[in-house]
Amino acid sequence: MKTFKLISLEVLEKSGDELLNKEIDIHDGLIIDREVDEDRWLIECHMPKKYYEFFQEKHEKEREFVVQVRISKAANPKATIVTKIKSINDIEEDFNIILRGNLVNREREQVERMLQELIEAGYQGASLLKKFKEKNQESFF
């Protein structure tokens, strides 16, 4: 296993034909490469209570969603991970979430294939793919 400090977390969300990056203010976090075949990455984030309902809704629906994380230092590029919430825990005035997921392959063509699968699974048409390419042109490493 390899452990890294989580510097930032963004959730990618669709809004009509737009793909939006929702930046999450985190107090602290870790990301662990579990080095196993399934659900390889484990992410733990400690954050303000203002995000509780947002993540609780995702947890209740048990649906996968896409996050972009920056690890170790702010200058590093973002990594894209398809995740699912495993737990939400109250911590005094804040809370934390535990996510498990898989890193999207670093090759741009593979990222586009993953997004195409999301479109075929009912997301909002080809404009989702186009907008994702535009907004995240330099996000992947």
Side-chain angles (χ1 to χ4, degrees):
M1 286 196 312
K2 297 176 188 165
T3 303
F4 306 93
K5 179 161 180 57
L6 184 66
I7 301 298
S8 69
L9 174 75
E10 295 177 358
V11 176
L12 300 183
E13 292 190 299
K14 65 180 177 85
S15 175
D17 288 342
E18 297 287 317
L19 184 63
L20 306 173
N21 290 24
K22 179 181 179 82
E23 190 168 335
I24 307 297
D25 300 321
I26 62 172
H27 296 311
D28 204 2
L30 294 173
I31 183 165
I32 300 168
D33 180 352
R34 296 173 51 221
E35 298 179 340
V36 295
D37 291 336
E38 289 186 32
D39 291 336
R40 184 173 175 159
W41 293 88
L42 183 69
I43 302 168
E44 181 177 6
C45 294
H46 178 215
M47 64 187 73
K49 203 67 145 196
K50 68 182 180 181
Y51 298 108
Y52 185 85
E53 287 182 25
F54 174 78
F55 286 105
Q56 183 62 32
E57 180 181 327
K58 292 186 176 314
H59 186 51
E60 288 171 1
K61 292 182 179 178
E62 298 182 8
R63 293 194 59 182
E64 289 184 326
F65 58 99
V66 179
V67 298
Q68 289 191 314
V69 296
R70 201 177 302 267
I71 61 174
S72 299
K73 58 185 176 181
N76 284 343
K78 298 174 189 173
T80 303
I81 302 176
V82 178
T83 64
K84 194 171 186 180
I85 296 175
K86 292 301 171 187
S87 68
I88 298 178
N89 307 291
D90 286 317
I91 302 176
E92 297 176 2
E93 294 99 35
D94 301 317
F95 74 106
N96 82 337
I97 59 170
I98 308 289
L99 304 169
R100 271 199 281 180
N102 291 301
L103 184 67
V104 175
N105 193 304
R106 297 175 189 163
E107 298 292 326
R108 188 163 307 279
E109 294 79 19
Q110 298 238 349
V111 170
E112 292 171 11
R113 264 186 253 138
M114 184 275 304
L115 285 172
Q116 186 63 43
E117 290 172 12
L118 292 174
I119 290 167
E120 292 170 3
Y123 288 86
Q124 296 291 319
S127 61
L128 173 65
L129 178 60
K130 180 181 178 210
K131 191 67 170 177
F132 186 86
K133 288 180 194 178
E134 290 171 8
K135 291 185 84 161
N136 297 290
Q137 191 170 10
E138 297 165 359
S139 296
F140 307 106
F141 62 87

